[in-house]
Amino acid sequence: MSPDRTRRLSGGEVALTLGVVLGFGLLVLLPLALVMGQALLPDLLEGHVPHLSLAGLQHSLANPRSITAITHTALLSVLAATTATLLGFCYAVMLTRTDVACRWLLSITPGLIFLTPGYLKALAWVLLMSPGGYLAQFGLLSDAASDAFFGIGGLVFVHTLNLFPLACFVVSAAMAGLGGEFEDAARTVGASARGAWLRVNLPLLAPALALAFLAIFAEVASDFGMASTIARSIDFGLLTYSIATAIENFPVDFQLAGSQALVLLSMLSAALLLDRMLRRQRRVRLISGRARPARIYRLGAWRYPVAAVGLLVSLLAVWLPMAAIIARSMARTLGQGLVSSNMTWRYIDQALTLGLPANQALLRSLGFASITALVCGVLALLLAWRLDQGGRVLRNAVLAVSMGAMAIPGVVMGLGYILMWNRLPVFSASGLYGTWPLLVLGYISHGLPYALVVVLPAIGQISPNLLDAARLYGASAATRLVRIVVPLIALSLITSVLLVFTRTVFELPISQLLQPTSGAPAPSVIVRYFGNDNDGIGSALSLLAIVATGGSAGLLWLAARAAGRAVWGKGVGDMVGMPGGR
Amino acid sequence: MATWLECRAVAKRLGGKQVLEGLDLAVEKGEILSILGPSGSGKTTLIRLIAGLADPDGGEIDVAGRAVFGPRVNVPIERRGVGYVFQDYAVWPHMTVAANVAFGLEMAGLGRAERDLRVKQALASVHIGELADRFPDQLSGGQQQRLALARSLAMRPEVLLLDEPLSNVDAALREHLRLEILQLVRAHGTTAIYITHDQSEAMALCDRLAVMQHGRLLQTGAPEELYRRPNSQFVASFLGSANALAGVMEGSVFTAGGVQMRTNCPVPGTFVELMFRPEDALVAEAYPQNQLEGVVEACMFIGRCWRLTLRADTTMFQIDWPHRVAEQTTLAFSIAPDRCALVPREAEPRRDF
């Protein structure tokens, strides 16, 4: 038991805490409230006295396009969540319970998939699967297969490859917690390996599988990348894209957008609620984290065939799409194929030349992302530090809201920002709408929860005694923060900044909806290039964005870790994990 | 009595380290063998190999007169007839208490009625019959351990392996459960191996005791034999407090400096250490020819007696004494010849520069 650390807050601390809550409310809660208000109080932003009415909601949802979008979203989410959970489960079992060959290559795949944005892979798959695309050129693709891809089958396929790592992470963690003894105990009382899996391991892993399913369901339902690329090109209406078109097309229909957003949020809330209920189950908690690692199955002659299947998944999910983007960025046209006469540096050159639109968009995005990441890092640090000092209630409340905010689709957040800064009196008068600072503000509100989720646990691990000791020596709050907290959580802080940076460079829906009039950021420009059959320059821009972001983030992280090692003699992050935080 | 469980030259490497080195072990039918050793000595690895939870690198294992592991045999875990009680119970959290016990019986193909009867008997034997419908998370640690034991015993295994089953139970309950396990296993006539690193538990719970270190069995025998006649300094000190005095044997007399001691114990060689336990110290007059002497440096009350720390030249002794003795007093005491155990000297005599 930790000692009771509650004490009376000073006036300044109360003000700071209030400020923190207010800022958080303005950034996240108000836009969200406006979206819901728009759906349920149609007159809210019309200057009349608002009255509750379901008529508008009913009208908007009775629209055939809404009905299609809702059913498509539900169907696609359930299908893709099922296949991705299954694939993730098999992948996790292969990685954690067998002596499969090529383990290293297989084990980095889920992380790589997670780091590359989904819509870029979707665009790459279009290059691969379209009738004149790369796979057809190699004779690997029949027309029938190509047709099947451009339908719900293709969407399920790409979503599965993109999201199975989520299930893989969840199931791997659950299996590590489960350990091998439950299974061993079943074997020692006479169960076969199959029996032990069916009757003991699978029932015990069921909650984890359900959690993975729900998380993937929510990801697919709130995805904007595939919805605005593959799905749009085949006119497969989905809620997120439908919300965006309701705002972007003329006449703008906020009522429709708000209603559809409400439906989407309800679907996500249902998933979140089920998730909470599952986590509360007492029996899940009996599985301890100190379990003996489970035994590894010897695959014998099957080591290589199984590895081949795993590598195929890896190839389809990461390497093939990347190869397609690289190939397309260096080719004059898609149709002429991979021949030297079709090679050109033109697109890459355009993306690299200062002053040209593609390069401007890239630099803009890198700049926006840098500002966003730094602001999020500082805010997350202050917020987490404040929360750690404050009461448990406030801490849990903010953590819960952050987790909730992570589940809010970017397109809904974007809609909320439009309602707030374009239509809500006082805010609309600020003139911020349509400018890049508002876009950055949108990025910040979307990135802050991620930064907080990394920084908050790290700060929580610092032993209070370390800070009390500094206080005894007369260090002020600011000194304690800068001299004790920051050095101890440096690696987490840098990780959070880099996480927000990479997410922001590729953030699509907010970029699309809050596009500044001064010029669009890279994600919306990339999607537009592909939409206008300029996929060469689109690919070149994607490639450079990936190289610039991944390269700079990777180098910074390695440099930070090396610097930490040089100063401490070991990783900075390691310091916090030690008992007492020494 | 017949050998019921036998390991011959069993070897195992784990993570580049030789955990077991050509280990031989035989357990008689109905016997309870305790294996005692510090953590990392390979005791858990040994019983995991017997159960089939891991495969040895070499050697042979027989259970109930049947080869379960050897150059050409590797019987799957579920067909070895071996019961296993895990350190942290491993009772299945998604099954009720009754279902936990019934699971194995169902796997064995027993009918419903037979199963119910055996479940009832097993739960009654560990005194948790009234908890049959509860889930494990509604049980205390001690009850979970009883359930784990019932689950194994209900299968009537040929050999029962217990892996430190009491290490997660609080001290007050441990003594009680220890007795209960002993009675139960005896009542079932089950052959059992009991792994522990607690010497009092090991000695209390077995017919025979084996002490293990660095993947080897150092000594096997009745608990009192190991306690009184250890064959190494490690065994002597692992089973309880022990004093050691390095010296040489001159005929049948132990000599160290000016001290001479007589002993009835077997002599392992010329360079030896004489070992005795604190509680074996008697007044000097008891055995005048077997006297030692030292200056009292500390005197601590430990309940049933006083424990004195004595210095004699460079050697320190600890002895139990019936009354307090002032510090810096010179005290002589004696040791009975049959309490002077001899073990080979492990290192060359140390020289102080």
Side-chain angles (χ1 to χ4, degrees), chain A residues 181-182 185-189 191 199 203-204 282-283 290 295, chain B residues 44 53 78 82 88 91-94 103-104 106 135 137 151:
Chain A
E181 292 199 338
F182 292 120
R187 296 295 300 277
T188 59
V189 294
R199 297 284 301 275
L204 288 173
R282 302 172 60 180
R283 246 142 257 145
R290 61 193 163 80
R295 281 173 301 123
Chain B
T44 296
L53 295 171
E78 64 270 23
V82 169
D88 46 9
V91 291
W92 301 301
H94 62 303
F103 180 82
E106 186 192 330
F135 280 94
D137 63 337
R151 181 174 71 181

PDB file of all heavy atoms in Angstrom, chain A residues 181-182 185-189 191 199 203-204 282-283 290 295, chain B residues 44 53 78 82 88 91-94 103-104 106 135 137 151:
ATOM      1  N   GLU A 181       0.750 -23.253 -17.479  1.00  0.00           N
ATOM      2  CA  GLU A 181       0.394 -24.223 -16.449  1.00  0.00           C
ATOM      3  C   GLU A 181      -1.036 -24.726 -16.531  1.00  0.00           C
ATOM      4  O   GLU A 181      -1.309 -25.872 -16.199  1.00  0.00           O
ATOM      5  CB  GLU A 181       0.686 -23.631 -15.065  1.00  0.00           C
ATOM      6  CG  GLU A 181       2.182 -23.480 -14.874  1.00  0.00           C
ATOM      7  CD  GLU A 181       2.607 -23.341 -13.437  1.00  0.00           C
ATOM      8  OE1 GLU A 181       1.777 -22.955 -12.610  1.00  0.00           O
ATOM      9  OE2 GLU A 181       3.779 -23.628 -13.164  1.00  0.00           O
ATOM     10  N   PHE A 182      -1.954 -23.867 -16.980  1.00  0.00           N
ATOM     11  CA  PHE A 182      -3.343 -24.338 -17.116  1.00  0.00           C
ATOM     12  C   PHE A 182      -3.400 -25.466 -18.139  1.00  0.00           C
ATOM     13  O   PHE A 182      -4.067 -26.480 -17.943  1.00  0.00           O
ATOM     14  CB  PHE A 182      -4.258 -23.197 -17.542  1.00  0.00           C
ATOM     15  CG  PHE A 182      -4.430 -22.139 -16.491  1.00  0.00           C
ATOM     16  CD1 PHE A 182      -4.065 -20.832 -16.733  1.00  0.00           C
ATOM     17  CD2 PHE A 182      -4.956 -22.456 -15.246  1.00  0.00           C
ATOM     18  CE1 PHE A 182      -4.213 -19.855 -15.762  1.00  0.00           C
ATOM     19  CE2 PHE A 182      -5.121 -21.484 -14.268  1.00  0.00           C
ATOM     20  CZ  PHE A 182      -4.740 -20.186 -14.529  1.00  0.00           C
ATOM     21  N   ALA A 185      -1.603 -28.543 -16.747  1.00  0.00           N
ATOM     22  CA  ALA A 185      -2.445 -29.231 -15.764  1.00  0.00           C
ATOM     23  C   ALA A 185      -3.469 -30.112 -16.476  1.00  0.00           C
ATOM     24  O   ALA A 185      -3.732 -31.240 -16.059  1.00  0.00           O
ATOM     25  CB  ALA A 185      -3.143 -28.215 -14.868  1.00  0.00           C
ATOM     26  N   ALA A 186      -4.024 -29.599 -17.581  1.00  0.00           N
ATOM     27  CA  ALA A 186      -5.001 -30.394 -18.335  1.00  0.00           C
ATOM     28  C   ALA A 186      -4.337 -31.639 -18.918  1.00  0.00           C
ATOM     29  O   ALA A 186      -4.905 -32.733 -18.903  1.00  0.00           O
ATOM     30  CB  ALA A 186      -5.619 -29.544 -19.443  1.00  0.00           C
ATOM     31  N   ARG A 187      -3.084 -31.465 -19.404  1.00  0.00           N
ATOM     32  CA  ARG A 187      -2.390 -32.608 -19.992  1.00  0.00           C
ATOM     33  C   ARG A 187      -2.110 -33.670 -18.924  1.00  0.00           C
ATOM     34  O   ARG A 187      -2.240 -34.865 -19.172  1.00  0.00           O
ATOM     35  CB  ARG A 187      -1.067 -32.169 -20.636  1.00  0.00           C
ATOM     36  CG  ARG A 187      -1.209 -31.231 -21.817  1.00  0.00           C
ATOM     37  CD  ARG A 187      -1.902 -31.840 -23.001  1.00  0.00           C
ATOM     38  NE  ARG A 187      -1.235 -33.020 -23.554  1.00  0.00           N
ATOM     39  CZ  ARG A 187      -0.221 -32.964 -24.423  1.00  0.00           C
ATOM     40  NH1 ARG A 187       0.245 -31.814 -24.807  1.00  0.00           N
ATOM     41  NH2 ARG A 187       0.310 -34.082 -24.887  1.00  0.00           N
ATOM     42  N   THR A 188      -1.736 -33.226 -17.704  1.00  0.00           N
ATOM     43  CA  THR A 188      -1.376 -34.215 -16.686  1.00  0.00           C
ATOM     44  C   THR A 188      -2.592 -34.983 -16.172  1.00  0.00           C
ATOM     45  O   THR A 188      -2.431 -36.016 -15.544  1.00  0.00           O
ATOM     46  CB  THR A 188      -0.657 -33.582 -15.473  1.00  0.00           C
ATOM     47  OG1 THR A 188      -1.521 -32.610 -14.896  1.00  0.00           O
ATOM     48  CG2 THR A 188       0.655 -32.956 -15.859  1.00  0.00           C
ATOM     49  N   VAL A 189      -3.811 -34.454 -16.389  1.00  0.00           N
ATOM     50  CA  VAL A 189      -4.969 -35.272 -16.008  1.00  0.00           C
ATOM     51  C   VAL A 189      -5.588 -35.947 -17.229  1.00  0.00           C
ATOM     52  O   VAL A 189      -6.738 -36.364 -17.198  1.00  0.00           O
ATOM     53  CB  VAL A 189      -6.051 -34.485 -15.229  1.00  0.00           C
ATOM     54  CG1 VAL A 189      -5.502 -34.041 -13.897  1.00  0.00           C
ATOM     55  CG2 VAL A 189      -6.572 -33.311 -16.030  1.00  0.00           C
ATOM     56  N   ALA A 191      -5.791 -34.919 -20.729  1.00  0.00           N
ATOM     57  CA  ALA A 191      -6.289 -34.288 -21.950  1.00  0.00           C
ATOM     58  C   ALA A 191      -5.211 -34.325 -23.025  1.00  0.00           C
ATOM     59  O   ALA A 191      -4.035 -34.157 -22.727  1.00  0.00           O
ATOM     60  CB  ALA A 191      -6.697 -32.848 -21.666  1.00  0.00           C
ATOM     61  N   ARG A 199     -10.652 -27.119 -24.439  1.00  0.00           N
ATOM     62  CA  ARG A 199     -11.383 -27.009 -23.176  1.00  0.00           C
ATOM     63  C   ARG A 199     -10.745 -26.039 -22.195  1.00  0.00           C
ATOM     64  O   ARG A 199     -11.396 -25.566 -21.272  1.00  0.00           O
ATOM     65  CB  ARG A 199     -11.472 -28.394 -22.527  1.00  0.00           C
ATOM     66  CG  ARG A 199     -12.260 -29.407 -23.347  1.00  0.00           C
ATOM     67  CD  ARG A 199     -13.750 -29.159 -23.245  1.00  0.00           C
ATOM     68  NE  ARG A 199     -14.219 -29.239 -21.886  1.00  0.00           N
ATOM     69  CZ  ARG A 199     -14.569 -30.368 -21.276  1.00  0.00           C
ATOM     70  NH1 ARG A 199     -14.516 -31.510 -21.930  1.00  0.00           N
ATOM     71  NH2 ARG A 199     -14.979 -30.349 -20.033  1.00  0.00           N
ATOM     72  N   PRO A 203     -11.184 -21.362 -24.072  1.00  0.00           N
ATOM     73  CA  PRO A 203     -12.118 -20.648 -23.192  1.00  0.00           C
ATOM     74  C   PRO A 203     -11.441 -19.543 -22.385  1.00  0.00           C
ATOM     75  O   PRO A 203     -12.019 -18.490 -22.175  1.00  0.00           O
ATOM     76  CB  PRO A 203     -12.653 -21.742 -22.263  1.00  0.00           C
ATOM     77  CG  PRO A 203     -12.444 -23.007 -23.000  1.00  0.00           C
ATOM     78  CD  PRO A 203     -11.230 -22.813 -23.852  1.00  0.00           C
ATOM     79  N   LEU A 204     -10.195 -19.781 -21.968  1.00  0.00           N
ATOM     80  CA  LEU A 204      -9.511 -18.764 -21.181  1.00  0.00           C
ATOM     81  C   LEU A 204      -9.070 -17.586 -22.050  1.00  0.00           C
ATOM     82  O   LEU A 204      -8.936 -16.471 -21.573  1.00  0.00           O
ATOM     83  CB  LEU A 204      -8.305 -19.367 -20.461  1.00  0.00           C
ATOM     84  CG  LEU A 204      -8.666 -20.289 -19.292  1.00  0.00           C
ATOM     85  CD1 LEU A 204      -7.430 -20.969 -18.734  1.00  0.00           C
ATOM     86  CD2 LEU A 204      -9.361 -19.498 -18.200  1.00  0.00           C
ATOM     87  N   ARG A 282     -14.595 -11.104 -13.491  1.00  0.00           N
ATOM     88  CA  ARG A 282     -13.670 -11.469 -12.420  1.00  0.00           C
ATOM     89  C   ARG A 282     -12.730 -12.591 -12.850  1.00  0.00           C
ATOM     90  O   ARG A 282     -11.563 -12.599 -12.519  1.00  0.00           O
ATOM     91  CB  ARG A 282     -14.448 -11.939 -11.198  1.00  0.00           C
ATOM     92  CG  ARG A 282     -15.394 -10.900 -10.687  1.00  0.00           C
ATOM     93  CD  ARG A 282     -16.257 -11.483  -9.615  1.00  0.00           C
ATOM     94  NE  ARG A 282     -15.450 -11.970  -8.502  1.00  0.00           N
ATOM     95  CZ  ARG A 282     -15.984 -12.528  -7.435  1.00  0.00           C
ATOM     96  NH1 ARG A 282     -17.272 -12.675  -7.346  1.00  0.00           N
ATOM     97  NH2 ARG A 282     -15.224 -12.961  -6.459  1.00  0.00           N
ATOM     98  N   ARG A 283     -13.295 -13.511 -13.618  1.00  0.00           N
ATOM     99  CA  ARG A 283     -12.495 -14.700 -13.927  1.00  0.00           C
ATOM    100  C   ARG A 283     -11.298 -14.375 -14.810  1.00  0.00           C
ATOM    101  O   ARG A 283     -10.303 -15.059 -14.814  1.00  0.00           O
ATOM    102  CB  ARG A 283     -13.378 -15.751 -14.614  1.00  0.00           C
ATOM    103  CG  ARG A 283     -13.535 -16.961 -13.749  1.00  0.00           C
ATOM    104  CD  ARG A 283     -14.916 -17.528 -13.837  1.00  0.00           C
ATOM    105  NE  ARG A 283     -15.684 -17.183 -12.688  1.00  0.00           N
ATOM    106  CZ  ARG A 283     -16.983 -16.937 -12.711  1.00  0.00           C
ATOM    107  NH1 ARG A 283     -17.632 -16.956 -13.843  1.00  0.00           N
ATOM    108  NH2 ARG A 283     -17.616 -16.647 -11.625  1.00  0.00           N
ATOM    109  N   ARG A 290       2.361 -13.608 -13.586  1.00  0.00           N
ATOM    110  CA  ARG A 290       3.644 -14.193 -13.186  1.00  0.00           C
ATOM    111  C   ARG A 290       3.738 -15.656 -13.623  1.00  0.00           C
ATOM    112  O   ARG A 290       4.467 -16.441 -13.052  1.00  0.00           O
ATOM    113  CB  ARG A 290       3.813 -14.080 -11.678  1.00  0.00           C
ATOM    114  CG  ARG A 290       2.743 -14.816 -10.933  1.00  0.00           C
ATOM    115  CD  ARG A 290       2.721 -14.458  -9.461  1.00  0.00           C
ATOM    116  NE  ARG A 290       1.474 -14.851  -8.872  1.00  0.00           N
ATOM    117  CZ  ARG A 290       1.184 -16.079  -8.500  1.00  0.00           C
ATOM    118  NH1 ARG A 290       2.066 -17.045  -8.659  1.00  0.00           N
ATOM    119  NH2 ARG A 290       0.027 -16.368  -7.975  1.00  0.00           N
ATOM    120  N   ARG A 295       5.043 -23.913 -22.966  1.00  0.00           N
ATOM    121  CA  ARG A 295       5.987 -24.724 -23.735  1.00  0.00           C
ATOM    122  C   ARG A 295       5.886 -24.402 -25.216  1.00  0.00           C
ATOM    123  O   ARG A 295       4.846 -24.032 -25.722  1.00  0.00           O
ATOM    124  CB  ARG A 295       5.695 -26.209 -23.503  1.00  0.00           C
ATOM    125  CG  ARG A 295       6.256 -26.707 -22.191  1.00  0.00           C
ATOM    126  CD  ARG A 295       5.812 -28.111 -21.929  1.00  0.00           C
ATOM    127  NE  ARG A 295       4.371 -28.215 -21.884  1.00  0.00           N
ATOM    128  CZ  ARG A 295       3.661 -29.004 -22.659  1.00  0.00           C
ATOM    129  NH1 ARG A 295       4.248 -29.758 -23.542  1.00  0.00           N
ATOM    130  NH2 ARG A 295       2.354 -29.044 -22.529  1.00  0.00           N
TER     131      ARG A 295
ATOM    132  N   THR B  44      12.732 -28.546 -10.075  1.00  0.00           N
ATOM    133  CA  THR B  44      11.490 -28.447 -10.852  1.00  0.00           C
ATOM    134  C   THR B  44      11.693 -29.028 -12.249  1.00  0.00           C
ATOM    135  O   THR B  44      10.824 -29.738 -12.768  1.00  0.00           O
ATOM    136  CB  THR B  44      11.022 -26.991 -10.928  1.00  0.00           C
ATOM    137  OG1 THR B  44      10.713 -26.554  -9.605  1.00  0.00           O
ATOM    138  CG2 THR B  44       9.786 -26.837 -11.788  1.00  0.00           C
ATOM    139  N   LEU B  53       6.440 -32.746 -19.344  1.00  0.00           N
ATOM    140  CA  LEU B  53       6.209 -31.343 -19.694  1.00  0.00           C
ATOM    141  C   LEU B  53       7.402 -30.758 -20.427  1.00  0.00           C
ATOM    142  O   LEU B  53       7.322 -29.691 -21.016  1.00  0.00           O
ATOM    143  CB  LEU B  53       5.902 -30.530 -18.435  1.00  0.00           C
ATOM    144  CG  LEU B  53       4.599 -30.924 -17.730  1.00  0.00           C
ATOM    145  CD1 LEU B  53       4.462 -30.243 -16.390  1.00  0.00           C
ATOM    146  CD2 LEU B  53       3.409 -30.600 -18.618  1.00  0.00           C
ATOM    147  N   GLU B  78      -0.223 -37.005 -21.312  1.00  0.00           N
ATOM    148  CA  GLU B  78      -1.516 -37.462 -20.809  1.00  0.00           C
ATOM    149  C   GLU B  78      -1.580 -38.978 -20.639  1.00  0.00           C
ATOM    150  O   GLU B  78      -2.503 -39.493 -20.035  1.00  0.00           O
ATOM    151  CB  GLU B  78      -2.655 -36.959 -21.709  1.00  0.00           C
ATOM    152  CG  GLU B  78      -2.655 -37.487 -23.138  1.00  0.00           C
ATOM    153  CD  GLU B  78      -1.849 -36.614 -24.102  1.00  0.00           C
ATOM    154  OE1 GLU B  78      -0.955 -35.875 -23.627  1.00  0.00           O
ATOM    155  OE2 GLU B  78      -2.109 -36.684 -25.318  1.00  0.00           O
ATOM    156  N   VAL B  82       0.866 -39.684 -14.619  1.00  0.00           N
ATOM    157  CA  VAL B  82       1.576 -38.884 -13.631  1.00  0.00           C
ATOM    158  C   VAL B  82       0.704 -37.697 -13.221  1.00  0.00           C
ATOM    159  O   VAL B  82       0.175 -37.000 -14.076  1.00  0.00           O
ATOM    160  CB  VAL B  82       2.900 -38.370 -14.237  1.00  0.00           C
ATOM    161  CG1 VAL B  82       3.530 -37.323 -13.346  1.00  0.00           C
ATOM    162  CG2 VAL B  82       3.854 -39.535 -14.433  1.00  0.00           C
ATOM    163  N   ASP B  88       1.704 -22.573  -8.408  1.00  0.00           N
ATOM    164  CA  ASP B  88       0.610 -21.612  -8.231  1.00  0.00           C
ATOM    165  C   ASP B  88      -0.726 -22.233  -8.649  1.00  0.00           C
ATOM    166  O   ASP B  88      -1.528 -21.615  -9.318  1.00  0.00           O
ATOM    167  CB  ASP B  88       0.879 -20.269  -8.900  1.00  0.00           C
ATOM    168  CG  ASP B  88       1.418 -20.437 -10.304  1.00  0.00           C
ATOM    169  OD1 ASP B  88       1.399 -21.578 -10.783  1.00  0.00           O
ATOM    170  OD2 ASP B  88       1.849 -19.449 -10.908  1.00  0.00           O
ATOM    171  N   VAL B  91      -5.374 -24.023 -11.108  1.00  0.00           N
ATOM    172  CA  VAL B  91      -6.773 -24.482 -11.208  1.00  0.00           C
ATOM    173  C   VAL B  91      -7.435 -23.615 -12.273  1.00  0.00           C
ATOM    174  O   VAL B  91      -7.160 -22.425 -12.371  1.00  0.00           O
ATOM    175  CB  VAL B  91      -7.522 -24.397  -9.865  1.00  0.00           C
ATOM    176  CG1 VAL B  91      -6.966 -25.418  -8.896  1.00  0.00           C
ATOM    177  CG2 VAL B  91      -7.457 -23.015  -9.272  1.00  0.00           C
ATOM    178  N   TRP B  92      -8.279 -24.232 -13.093  1.00  0.00           N
ATOM    179  CA  TRP B  92      -8.827 -23.508 -14.244  1.00  0.00           C
ATOM    180  C   TRP B  92      -9.887 -22.523 -13.789  1.00  0.00           C
ATOM    181  O   TRP B  92     -10.915 -22.915 -13.221  1.00  0.00           O
ATOM    182  CB  TRP B  92      -9.390 -24.502 -15.251  1.00  0.00           C
ATOM    183  CG  TRP B  92      -8.327 -25.445 -15.708  1.00  0.00           C
ATOM    184  CD1 TRP B  92      -7.152 -25.117 -16.322  1.00  0.00           C
ATOM    185  CD2 TRP B  92      -8.310 -26.869 -15.556  1.00  0.00           C
ATOM    186  NE1 TRP B  92      -6.407 -26.240 -16.569  1.00  0.00           N
ATOM    187  CE2 TRP B  92      -7.094 -27.326 -16.117  1.00  0.00           C
ATOM    188  CE3 TRP B  92      -9.195 -27.791 -15.015  1.00  0.00           C
ATOM    189  CZ2 TRP B  92      -6.746 -28.669 -16.146  1.00  0.00           C
ATOM    190  CZ3 TRP B  92      -8.855 -29.127 -15.047  1.00  0.00           C
ATOM    191  CH2 TRP B  92      -7.644 -29.557 -15.601  1.00  0.00           C
ATOM    192  N   PRO B  93      -9.648 -21.228 -14.060  1.00  0.00           N
ATOM    193  CA  PRO B  93     -10.535 -20.199 -13.514  1.00  0.00           C
ATOM    194  C   PRO B  93     -11.925 -20.198 -14.137  1.00  0.00           C
ATOM    195  O   PRO B  93     -12.838 -19.625 -13.572  1.00  0.00           O
ATOM    196  CB  PRO B  93      -9.804 -18.888 -13.836  1.00  0.00           C
ATOM    197  CG  PRO B  93      -8.875 -19.203 -14.939  1.00  0.00           C
ATOM    198  CD  PRO B  93      -8.522 -20.653 -14.802  1.00  0.00           C
ATOM    199  N   HIS B  94     -12.066 -20.833 -15.315  1.00  0.00           N
ATOM    200  CA  HIS B  94     -13.375 -20.787 -15.977  1.00  0.00           C
ATOM    201  C   HIS B  94     -14.223 -22.005 -15.644  1.00  0.00           C
ATOM    202  O   HIS B  94     -15.290 -22.173 -16.213  1.00  0.00           O
ATOM    203  CB  HIS B  94     -13.181 -20.655 -17.484  1.00  0.00           C
ATOM    204  CG  HIS B  94     -12.456 -21.818 -18.097  1.00  0.00           C
ATOM    205  ND1 HIS B  94     -11.204 -22.211 -17.666  1.00  0.00           N
ATOM    206  CD2 HIS B  94     -12.792 -22.655 -19.088  1.00  0.00           C
ATOM    207  CE1 HIS B  94     -10.807 -23.250 -18.389  1.00  0.00           C
ATOM    208  NE2 HIS B  94     -11.759 -23.540 -19.255  1.00  0.00           N
ATOM    209  N   PHE B 103     -12.917 -32.764 -14.858  1.00  0.00           N
ATOM    210  CA  PHE B 103     -12.334 -32.658 -16.198  1.00  0.00           C
ATOM    211  C   PHE B 103     -11.468 -33.864 -16.564  1.00  0.00           C
ATOM    212  O   PHE B 103     -11.658 -34.505 -17.599  1.00  0.00           O
ATOM    213  CB  PHE B 103     -11.525 -31.360 -16.289  1.00  0.00           C
ATOM    214  CG  PHE B 103     -10.874 -31.145 -17.632  1.00  0.00           C
ATOM    215  CD1 PHE B 103     -11.581 -30.622 -18.693  1.00  0.00           C
ATOM    216  CD2 PHE B 103      -9.538 -31.481 -17.836  1.00  0.00           C
ATOM    217  CE1 PHE B 103     -10.990 -30.429 -19.926  1.00  0.00           C
ATOM    218  CE2 PHE B 103      -8.930 -31.288 -19.069  1.00  0.00           C
ATOM    219  CZ  PHE B 103      -9.657 -30.762 -20.113  1.00  0.00           C
ATOM    220  N   GLY B 104     -10.534 -34.194 -15.692  1.00  0.00           N
ATOM    221  CA  GLY B 104      -9.626 -35.301 -15.984  1.00  0.00           C
ATOM    222  C   GLY B 104     -10.359 -36.635 -16.044  1.00  0.00           C
ATOM    223  O   GLY B 104     -10.051 -37.490 -16.880  1.00  0.00           O
ATOM    224  N   GLU B 106     -13.377 -37.048 -16.960  1.00  0.00           N
ATOM    225  CA  GLU B 106     -14.093 -37.063 -18.236  1.00  0.00           C
ATOM    226  C   GLU B 106     -13.135 -37.440 -19.364  1.00  0.00           C
ATOM    227  O   GLU B 106     -13.480 -38.238 -20.241  1.00  0.00           O
ATOM    228  CB  GLU B 106     -14.696 -35.678 -18.466  1.00  0.00           C
ATOM    229  CG  GLU B 106     -15.585 -35.585 -19.687  1.00  0.00           C
ATOM    230  CD  GLU B 106     -15.905 -34.132 -20.023  1.00  0.00           C
ATOM    231  OE1 GLU B 106     -15.955 -33.293 -19.101  1.00  0.00           O
ATOM    232  OE2 GLU B 106     -16.090 -33.859 -21.225  1.00  0.00           O
ATOM    233  N   PHE B 135     -16.517 -20.923  -8.074  1.00  0.00           N
ATOM    234  CA  PHE B 135     -15.425 -20.773  -9.032  1.00  0.00           C
ATOM    235  C   PHE B 135     -14.130 -20.506  -8.255  1.00  0.00           C
ATOM    236  O   PHE B 135     -14.176 -19.968  -7.144  1.00  0.00           O
ATOM    237  CB  PHE B 135     -15.720 -19.627  -9.999  1.00  0.00           C
ATOM    238  CG  PHE B 135     -16.660 -20.030 -11.102  1.00  0.00           C
ATOM    239  CD1 PHE B 135     -18.026 -19.817 -10.987  1.00  0.00           C
ATOM    240  CD2 PHE B 135     -16.171 -20.648 -12.245  1.00  0.00           C
ATOM    241  CE1 PHE B 135     -18.890 -20.204 -11.996  1.00  0.00           C
ATOM    242  CE2 PHE B 135     -17.024 -21.046 -13.253  1.00  0.00           C
ATOM    243  CZ  PHE B 135     -18.394 -20.826 -13.133  1.00  0.00           C
ATOM    244  N   ASP B 137     -11.958 -18.261  -8.232  1.00  0.00           N
ATOM    245  CA  ASP B 137     -11.668 -16.925  -7.710  1.00  0.00           C
ATOM    246  C   ASP B 137     -12.443 -16.636  -6.428  1.00  0.00           C
ATOM    247  O   ASP B 137     -12.237 -15.612  -5.798  1.00  0.00           O
ATOM    248  CB  ASP B 137     -11.940 -15.852  -8.775  1.00  0.00           C
ATOM    249  CG  ASP B 137     -13.399 -15.795  -9.177  1.00  0.00           C
ATOM    250  OD1 ASP B 137     -14.087 -16.819  -8.996  1.00  0.00           O
ATOM    251  OD2 ASP B 137     -13.851 -14.745  -9.654  1.00  0.00           O
ATOM    252  N   ARG B 151      -7.799 -32.539  -7.460  1.00  0.00           N
ATOM    253  CA  ARG B 151      -7.857 -32.771  -8.896  1.00  0.00           C
ATOM    254  C   ARG B 151      -6.851 -33.843  -9.307  1.00  0.00           C
ATOM    255  O   ARG B 151      -7.145 -34.710 -10.130  1.00  0.00           O
ATOM    256  CB  ARG B 151      -7.561 -31.449  -9.614  1.00  0.00           C
ATOM    257  CG  ARG B 151      -7.605 -31.519 -11.109  1.00  0.00           C
ATOM    258  CD  ARG B 151      -7.448 -30.153 -11.715  1.00  0.00           C
ATOM    259  NE  ARG B 151      -6.077 -29.638 -11.556  1.00  0.00           N
ATOM    260  CZ  ARG B 151      -5.698 -28.451 -11.995  1.00  0.00           C
ATOM    261  NH1 ARG B 151      -6.560 -27.645 -12.593  1.00  0.00           N
ATOM    262  NH2 ARG B 151      -4.458 -28.049 -11.834  1.00  0.00           N
TER     263      ARG B 151
END
